[in-house]
Amino acid sequence: MDILTAFTNKREKETNQNMPERNGEGMKQLRKQKRVIPGFGLTLGITVSMLGVIVLIPLLSLIIYTAKLSWREFLEVVTAKRVLYAFWVSVSTSFLASLINAVMGLILAWVLVKYEFPGKKIMDGMIELPFALPTAVAGIALTHLTTKDGWIGGLFDRFGIPIAYTKAGIVFALVFVGIPFVVRSVQPVLEKLDVSYEEAGEMIGAGPVYTFFKIIFPEIRPALIGGFTMAFARCLGEYGSVVFIAGNAPYDTEIAPLLIMSKLQEFDYTSATAIALVMLVTAFVILLVNSMIQYKAAKKVV
């Protein structure tokens, strides 16, 4: 352990020597460099305009439309038994799917970075398929796979375990949707990770498990958390790939996005926007937590 500590201290010392001084003229120079950006005023104006038109105005319209409800009416809508159960189904299945994605995505990223094998480029490209494939197409394909007559559903049906039209089917679809977020978050960090970290573990006689969890994992943990939270937020709002496989039974497999669509079909726009606002705030909180974690991780590096 003394060797590992000395190695870590040496790395930190080398990093600090290559950086400008934290106080005095060094920090002043850094601040000046950050301000000197060619075309900053123009690019900032374009950025704020695009952010306002594409993101802020649509979200504000959602809040304004919800404001037609009084606070009591809003609470009655979002705390109705059917709505609360839909929230629970969406949050629980999304969280479970994101946990699975965190584990499997880390393994996938590790294999793609650390090993060379035939078809590696093809496998790496397939990770992007959930991004490119229309969600409705994915939902139909996953449903056919998980029914009793499907390849996967038929296998599990022999043991009396149904997948399609159950919560397990929802989790299955959300794993498909969220896996790229974890892989693409962890993969670049693993590629840039210095091999000397692994060599340090070997120097102290540590096994592969100890080396991974005590030396490598702390370095990739912020990226893994970031991938998990982005997958979680994405899964919360997923509709197309889930609606076919869920079964959509109220108080059982009905998700919040489907309930929003049901309210819209009933022309109950205020209730739909109220439910959507809760989902929006939930996703925003998740992404805010992710940003805070990434910010703290970046400060530790600096």
Side-chain angles (χ1 to χ4, degrees), residues 187-217:
Q187 191 174 359
V189 180
L190 283 175
E191 289 174 347
K192 295 179 180 179
L193 193 63
D194 197 336
V195 183
S196 57
Y197 284 89
E198 299 177 40
E199 294 175 350
E202 294 180 1
M203 289 173 60
I204 63 173
V209 176
Y210 181 91
T211 301
F212 176 78
F213 282 104
K214 294 297 183 179
I215 300 176
I216 298 176
F217 185 74

Side-chain angles (χ1 to χ4, degrees), residues 146-181:
T146 54
T147 57
K148 293 181 179 180
D149 299 326
W151 292 346
I152 298 175
L155 179 64
F156 280 88
D157 187 62
R158 297 176 184 176
F159 303 96
I161 304 175
I163 297 180
Y165 315 125
T166 65
K167 293 185 180 69
I170 299 175
V171 173
F172 185 79
L174 294 179
V175 168
F176 174 82
V177 171
I179 192 73
F181 291 95

Side-chain angles (χ1 to χ4, degrees), residues 2-260:
D2 293 336
I3 298 176
L4 179 59
T5 304
F7 171 79
T8 305
N9 293 335
K10 182 181 178 183
R11 296 279 299 177
E12 291 179 353
K13 185 177 180 181
E14 291 175 353
T15 302
N16 292 334
Q17 288 176 349
N18 293 330
M19 290 178 59
E21 297 180 359
R22 295 179 182 272
N23 298 317
E25 295 299 326
M27 288 303 296
K28 290 180 180 178
Q29 291 177 4
L30 280 176
R31 286 194 291 268
K32 288 180 180 179
Q33 289 175 0
K34 290 182 180 180
R35 293 194 184 105
V36 182
I37 302 176
F40 175 73
L42 178 61
T43 53
L44 179 62
I46 294 174
T47 301
V48 173
S49 299
M50 293 298 294
L51 184 65
V53 173
I54 297 176
V55 179
L56 295 180
I57 292 177
L59 297 183
L60 283 175
S61 65
L62 182 67
I63 297 173
I64 292 171
Y65 205 95
T66 306
K68 294 181 179 180
L69 293 171
S70 66
W71 181 246
R72 180 178 179 180
E73 291 172 333
F74 175 80
L75 289 179
E76 288 178 354
V77 170
V78 299
T79 58
K81 186 177 179 180
R82 182 180 177 184
V83 176
L84 289 177
Y85 205 96
F87 285 149
W88 166 247
V89 172
S90 292
V91 172
S92 59
T93 54
S94 297
F95 185 78
L96 179 57
S98 299
L99 283 179
I100 296 172
N101 280 331
V103 176
M104 301 307 298
L106 176 58
I107 295 173
L108 274 172
W110 182 270
V111 170
L112 290 173
V113 172
K114 296 294 183 179
Y115 302 103
E116 295 292 336
F117 52 90
K120 176 180 176 178
K121 296 295 183 183
I122 297 176
M123 181 183 292
D124 192 23
M126 289 176 63
I127 300 297
E128 308 287 350
L129 277 178
F131 287 150
L133 194 67
T135 55
V137 176
I140 294 171
L142 294 174
T143 303
H144 283 304
L145 278 175
T146 54
T147 57
K148 293 181 179 180
D149 299 326
W151 292 346
I152 298 175
L155 179 64
F156 280 88
D157 187 62
R158 297 176 184 176
F159 303 96
I161 304 175
I163 297 180
Y165 315 125
T166 65
K167 293 185 180 69
I170 299 175
V171 173
F172 185 79
L174 294 179
V175 168
F176 174 82
V177 171
I179 192 73
F181 291 95
V182 179
V183 176
R184 293 310 186 218
S185 296
V186 175
Q187 191 174 359
V189 180
L190 283 175
E191 289 174 347
K192 295 179 180 179
L193 193 63
D194 197 336
V195 183
S196 57
Y197 284 89
E198 299 177 40
E199 294 175 350
E202 294 180 1
M203 289 173 60
I204 63 173
V209 176
Y210 181 91
T211 301
F212 176 78
F213 282 104
K214 294 297 183 179
I215 300 176
I216 298 176
F217 185 74
E219 299 295 324
I220 63 175
R221 182 168 51 204
L224 183 62
I225 294 174
F228 168 82
T229 52
M230 287 189 292
F232 188 20
R234 176 68 180 85
C235 291
L236 276 177
E238 180 57 28
Y239 173 76
S241 61
V242 177
V243 66
F244 296 100
I245 199 172
N248 309 322
Y251 308 103
D252 186 15
T253 58
E254 186 178 46
I255 58 174
L258 176 64
L259 186 56
I260 293 172

